């Protein structure tokens, strides 16, 4: 369902008390809406007996640009937004730990559950100005390139690569490549026109953006490792949330947090192999680097962790304790990954 109508159904609309707007930057067919936001909204509408309805605005149809989404929900322009934490640098320093390549497990489900373990603890301070419904990740970033087959770190040197976050910038620099920051909807045109040589993105985003028709090469690392991940936020305006009756707030709470983290993680993990198969069917080449080929990348990415720890120290944040807590949480949930432990978090 898009902005053309309400999620709720004809029968439930008679009891409708609240309509919540949801704004995000991807298309209505993308995984975030089709597999997460819509089922989540429908479950709340059903549980509330139709008292809560939702109107979803994909592709920034409420106006503004993707980096403005956090401000829109904070200020009440939209009731709910789905956005990338990295679009507002410096606002979420604690949650940034899950972007680091040494933390993410390679499974969205595992990392999502790990994030939930810390939401009421060290991550809470990042979200004091909004009501967080879910903080989550995707399954991890593969490297998609147009004209270069990246089989070694030397192959990546000098390439202009789209960066998803500050830590992504550091990763790209550590590879000897050139980071280029831009919102994800701008990536296909930039790659088609040669402004970018490639991008860090999961395969599930590469499908609606048609990147598997533009990029001819796709690289992922050994042992389930990807090139880090991106952390997302589904958040509600705090005043709007507090204005709801207690029973409706309880319904939203019951369908958010861990329950939504599990649903979102399973949806993201399920779509990756399907899109990879579609890319191969188009004649694209997917490189699964072995441990020897991957080692120079992983060694270089340790610089990312060191830079993040140094920045946390400057902010007065105990980055080492936060990093240890994040890795421990990921390890604790790793057996829940499809097929067992995916990757490592050393």
């Amino acid at each position: 369902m898009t902005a053309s109508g309400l999620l709720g159904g004809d029968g439930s609309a008679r009891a409708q008390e609240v309509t919540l707007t949801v704004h995000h930057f991807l298309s209505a067919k993308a995984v975030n809406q089709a597999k997460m936001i819509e089922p989540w909204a429908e479950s709340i509408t059903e549980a509330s007996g139709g008292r809560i309805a939702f109107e979803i605005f994909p592709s920034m149809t409420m106006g503004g640009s993707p980096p403005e989404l956090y401000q829109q929900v904070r200020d009440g322009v939209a009731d709910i937004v789905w956005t990338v934490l990295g679009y507002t640098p410096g606002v979420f320093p604690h949650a940034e730990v899950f972007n680091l390549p040494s933390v993410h497990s390679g499974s969205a489900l595992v990392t999502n559950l790990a994030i939930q373990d810390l939401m009421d603890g060290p991550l809470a301070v990042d979200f004091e100005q909004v009501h967080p419904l879910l903080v989550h990740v995707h399954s991890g970033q593969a490297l998609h390139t147009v004209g270069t087959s990246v089989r070694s770190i030397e192959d990546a040197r000098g390439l202009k690569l789209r960066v998803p976050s500050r830590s992504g910038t550091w990763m790209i620099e550590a590879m000897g490549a050139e980071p280029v920051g831009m919102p994800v909807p701008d990536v296909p045109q930039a790659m088609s026109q040669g402004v970018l040589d490639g991008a860090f993105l999961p395969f599930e985003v590469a499908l609606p953006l048609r990147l598997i028709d533009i990029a001819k090469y796709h690289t992922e690392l050994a042992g389930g490792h990807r090139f880090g991940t991106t952390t997302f936020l589904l958040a509600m305006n705090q005043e709007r949330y507090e204005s709801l009756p207690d029973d409706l707030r309880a319904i939203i709470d019951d369908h958010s947090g861990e329950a939504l983290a599990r649903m979102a993680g399973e949806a993201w993990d399920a779509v990756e192999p399907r899109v990879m198969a579609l890319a191969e069917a188009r004649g694209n080449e997917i490189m699964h680097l072995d441990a020897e080929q991957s080692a120079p990348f992983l060694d270089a990415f340790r610089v990312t962790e060191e830079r993040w720890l140094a920045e946390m120290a400057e902010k007065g944040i105990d980055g080492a304790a936060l990093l240890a807590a994040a890795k421990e949480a990921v390890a604790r949930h790793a057996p829940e990954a499809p097929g067992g432990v995916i990757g490592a978090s050393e």
Side-chain angles (χ1 to χ4, degrees):
M1 181 67 67
T2 69
S4 61
L6 297 178
L7 283 178
D10 295 338
S12 62
R14 290 193 296 272
Q16 182 184 318
E17 295 178 14
V18 176
T19 299
L20 300 175
T21 57
V22 185
H23 197 201
H24 68 90
F25 60 88
L26 290 179
S27 77
K29 295 181 179 180
V31 171
N32 73 305
Q33 177 166 328
K35 300 296 184 181
M36 183 182 76
I37 295 175
E38 286 188 11
W40 170 77
E42 289 166 356
S43 70
I44 290 174
T45 296
E46 181 178 358
S48 69
R51 294 167 64 197
I52 302 177
F54 294 83
E55 192 168 8
I56 303 175
F57 294 83
S59 304
M60 299 305 300
T61 45
M62 287 183 70
S65 63
E68 295 172 338
L69 283 165
Y70 173 71
Q71 288 84 352
Q72 288 183 357
V73 73
R74 183 195 63 195
D75 299 342
V77 175
D79 296 321
I80 297 169
V81 304
W82 181 82
T83 188
V84 175
L85 298 191
Y87 284 171
T88 46
V91 176
F92 309 101
H94 300 78
E96 240 183 7
V97 69
F98 285 97
N99 285 348
L100 298 176
S102 62
V103 174
H104 179 52
S105 68
S107 163
L109 172 60
V110 167
T111 303
N112 285 359
L113 295 176
I115 291 171
Q116 300 315 302
D117 288 354
L118 306 188
M119 281 300 295
D120 291 331
L123 304 188
V125 66
D126 285 356
F127 306 101
E128 292 178 339
Q129 296 189 51
V130 296
H131 180 74
L133 301 165
L134 177 66
V135 179
H136 74 103
V137 300
H138 55 50
S139 298
Q141 291 150 179
L143 174 57
H144 309 273
T145 49
V146 178
T148 302
S149 173
V150 177
R151 298 177 177 276
S152 69
I153 199 167
E154 287 75 20
D155 293 334
R157 300 197 190 282
L159 297 181
K160 299 186 294 294
L161 303 177
R162 181 260 178 180
V163 55
S165 62
R166 290 190 321 134
S167 58
T169 296
W170 302 339
M171 290 171 62
I172 290 171
E173 290 175 346
M175 291 163 55
E178 179 183 342
V180 180
M182 67 176 62
V184 71
D186 298 337
V187 170
Q189 183 175 6
M191 288 180 66
S192 295
Q193 296 179 345
V195 175
L196 291 175
D197 297 307
F200 281 173
L201 287 169
F203 279 92
E204 53 88 9
V205 171
L207 180 61
L209 293 179
R210 303 191 66 83
L211 285 188
I212 60 173
D213 297 320
I214 299 170
K216 300 305 178 187
Y217 306 99
H218 315 272
T219 304
E220 63 176 2
L221 304 177
H225 279 285
R226 290 281 180 92
F227 295 86
T229 188
T230 296
T231 310
F232 302 92
L233 171 65
L234 183 71
M236 186 170 179
N237 176 266
Q238 186 68 43
E239 292 183 7
R240 184 67 160 140
Y241 173 78
E242 292 175 354
S243 73
L244 299 178
D246 290 348
D247 61 332
L248 294 188
R249 287 204 305 270
I251 290 170
I252 290 175
D253 292 345
D254 288 345
H255 290 77
S256 304
E258 183 176 343
L260 185 55
R262 187 174 294 278
M263 181 178 75
E266 290 172 349
W268 258 264
D269 286 343
V271 77
E272 287 292 291
R274 294 203 295 267
V275 181
M276 293 170 74
L278 287 173
E280 289 184 313
R282 283 163 166 75
N284 295 4
E285 185 177 3
I286 299 180
M287 278 74 68
H288 306 277
L289 304 189
D290 61 26
E292 183 177 353
Q293 292 169 313
S294 300
F297 288 98
L298 299 176
D299 289 342
F301 294 161
R302 291 193 176 93
V303 174
T304 301
E305 188 172 296
E306 292 166 1
R307 288 181 68 169
W308 182 82
L309 287 169
E311 282 207 0
M312 293 303 100
E314 291 176 2
K315 295 175 182 289
I317 297 171
D318 188 347
L322 181 55
L323 181 61
K327 290 183 176 182
E328 288 169 5
V330 167
R332 186 162 54 247
H333 291 287
E336 300 205 39
V341 177
I342 293 181
S345 49
E346 67 273 4

